[in-house]
Amino acid sequence: MPRQVFFYDPPERFVAGTVGEPGQRAFYLQASARGRVTSVLLEKSQVAALAERVEELLDEVVRRSGGSTAVPAVAPAELIDSAPLDQPVMEEFRVGTMALAWDESIDRLIVEAQALIEVDPEGNPDEQDLFEDDENGPPMLRVRLSGAMARVFAKRALELVSAGRPPCPFCSLPLDPQGHVCPRQNGYRR
């Protein structure tokens, strides 16, 4: 079956968002353009890593250009998107691997999120082909973003990740509303 690629160049909107309450949230990347919406599920740590890497890559582009690039140093306030995810959120796939690249010829950040695939521990050759054959690979979301849109994405994603449950003042683990067993207290209550 040929690979399904959800391609947005450029998207009208590209955001990270959640569904659910803190501690039970599901994290999504969502791209939309011309009435079409694609949502992919991923882990909180993947959202954090993606946002941090986007910031680092954009900072490097600015540094290498000596400040003569169209990439802003911070997210432009007029582009900030704080709206919730477009509903209904219908997951296309769960993200396994992600890649980032800067296309200098068009001054765009390329974000790719590829579906998680199960690999047979026996090393079934057909499954190895998924890694080597782009035409028959796993589903992928590919988005091309301007520098400004990428900064806005990263800002929102980092805020989203930090907006979860408050940390314990002793161990920094998230506090659970049903109770928290702090490993730093070694079983003692204060």
Side-chain angles (χ1 to χ4, degrees), residues 28-159:
Y28 291 91
L29 293 179
Q30 192 175 74
S32 60
R34 296 177 290 287
R36 183 174 64 119
V37 178
T38 303
S39 302
V40 296
L41 180 69
L42 69 169
E43 298 296 324
K44 178 180 181 178
S45 60
Q46 289 175 299
V47 173
L50 178 60
E52 290 166 4
R53 298 307 177 269
V54 166
E55 284 287 326
E56 289 171 6
L57 192 144
L58 294 176
D59 289 345
E60 183 65 15
V61 168
V62 170
R63 188 189 68 74
R64 287 188 181 194
S65 73
S68 65
T69 182
V71 175
V74 296
E78 67 274 9
L79 296 180
I80 299 294
D81 180 351
S82 57
L85 294 173
D86 293 330
Q87 299 293 325
V89 177
M90 297 183 349
E91 170 190 332
E92 295 294 340
F93 58 85
R94 176 179 284 277
V95 174
T97 59
M98 295 183 291
L100 285 177
W102 179 258
D103 188 335
E104 199 171 298
S105 66
I106 57 173
D107 286 336
R108 293 286 183 261
L109 177 73
I110 301 166
V111 178
E112 292 183 348
Q114 183 173 284
L116 179 66
I117 55 171
E118 301 289 327
V119 177
D120 182 7
E122 309 277 318
N124 183 341
D126 292 339
E127 290 173 347
Q128 279 298 340
D129 290 344
L130 291 174
F131 293 110
E132 298 168 8
D133 185 4
D134 281 347
E135 187 176 311
N136 295 318
M140 175 189 294
L141 170 64
R142 179 179 293 141
V143 181
R144 287 189 183 152
L145 304 169
S146 68
M149 196 169 198
R151 286 278 189 206
V152 169
F153 166 80
K155 178 179 177 16
R156 175 184 169 130
L158 290 171
E159 289 171 355

